[in-house]
């Protein structure tokens, strides 16, 4: 199974979905893809997974005493992800608690043989834990493919970084875009 993680503030354009679908088509044949339910990147991933002919597994917060429901902005996306999903995993965590959400992502990664990270190489900043999740996977020997295509754009409040970080051989890097002049 392939876990997909990344920046929560990615602008979800159609070219990002196409780039992600192309990458998934080069990853391990037949592997299912796992995402944590939510708006933005998880929904782009879910759509790309299905377009690539792969099985989608969605991680949802299980009802737990004192835990919040998914935030309103994530509910419609979670509904669509449930329609797209082949399987659903329930995990007791509070989606309103950042530490609990990061812990849920760590459990997601532990259950996979490979991670694809849509990550610009920026450090974790208290809002975004992508750098932490990449380090977490690597520390456990789980292959990580860092993916930051030209179509990836972060929200207006987040600065862009041009680094891609080291790649693994798990999913071959996409070919460099050709320059015609």
């Amino acid at each position: 199974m392939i876990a997909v993680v990344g920046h929560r503030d990615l602008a979800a354009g159609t070219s990002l979905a196409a780039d992600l679908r192309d990458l998934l088509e080069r990853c391990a044949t037949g592997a299912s893809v796992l995402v944590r339910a939510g708006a933005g990147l998880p929904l782009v991933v879910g759509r790309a997974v299905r377009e690539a002919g792969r099985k989608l597994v969605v991680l949802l917060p299980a009802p737990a005493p004192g835990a919040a429901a998914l935030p309103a902005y994530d509910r419609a996306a979670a509904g669509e992800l449930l329609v797209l999903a082949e399987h659903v995993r329930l995990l007791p965590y509070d989606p309103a608690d950042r530490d609990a959400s990061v812990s849920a992502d760590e459990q997601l990664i532990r259950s996979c043989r490979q991670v694809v990270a849509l990550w610009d190489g920026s450090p974790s900043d208290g809002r975004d834990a992508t750098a932490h999740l990449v380090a977490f996977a690597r520390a456990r020997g789980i292959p990580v493919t860092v993916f930051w295509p030209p179509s990836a754009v972060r929200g207006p409040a987040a600065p862009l970084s041009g680094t891609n970080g080291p790649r693994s051989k798990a999913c071959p890097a996409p070919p460099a875009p050709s320059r015609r002049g």
Side-chain angles (χ1 to χ4, degrees):
M1 191 169 313
I2 302 167
V4 179
V5 299
H7 295 299
R8 188 140 169 96
D9 60 352
L10 281 175
T14 55
S15 58
L16 175 60
D19 289 339
L20 182 58
R21 184 182 60 246
D22 291 345
L23 175 71
L24 290 171
E25 288 171 352
R26 290 189 301 276
C27 290
T29 305
S32 298
V33 178
L34 177 62
V35 295
R36 184 166 49 93
L41 178 62
L43 189 53
V44 172
V45 170
R47 291 171 179 164
V49 166
R50 296 308 294 206
E51 288 172 11
R54 296 207 177 234
K55 293 179 180 177
L56 177 66
V57 180
V58 175
L59 182 72
L60 274 178
L70 276 174
Y73 58 86
D74 282 335
R75 286 187 203 132
E80 184 176 340
L81 285 166
L82 290 175
V83 170
L84 295 170
E86 182 86 14
H87 299 283
V88 175
R89 289 187 183 177
L90 296 176
L91 181 68
Y93 75 95
D94 184 349
D97 179 335
R98 181 188 181 278
D99 290 340
S101 294
V102 170
S103 179
D105 284 334
E106 289 172 350
Q107 289 187 46
L108 177 142
I109 288 169
R110 272 190 213 103
S111 70
C112 292
R113 298 181 64 177
Q114 181 178 343
V115 173
V116 170
L118 276 89
W119 180 44
D120 65 359
S122 61
S124 292
D125 62 7
R127 292 179 313 150
D128 186 289
T130 307
H132 164 77
L133 296 171
V134 167
F136 180 87
R138 287 179 174 157
R140 281 148 188 79
I142 300 169
V144 177
T145 298
V146 174
F147 182 59
W148 192 254
S151 60
V153 177
R154 292 191 69 181
L160 289 175
S161 169
T163 63
N164 281 342
R167 292 188 188 271
S168 76
K169 302 280 186 218
C171 297
S178 61
R179 305 250 179 195
R180 296 180 189 193

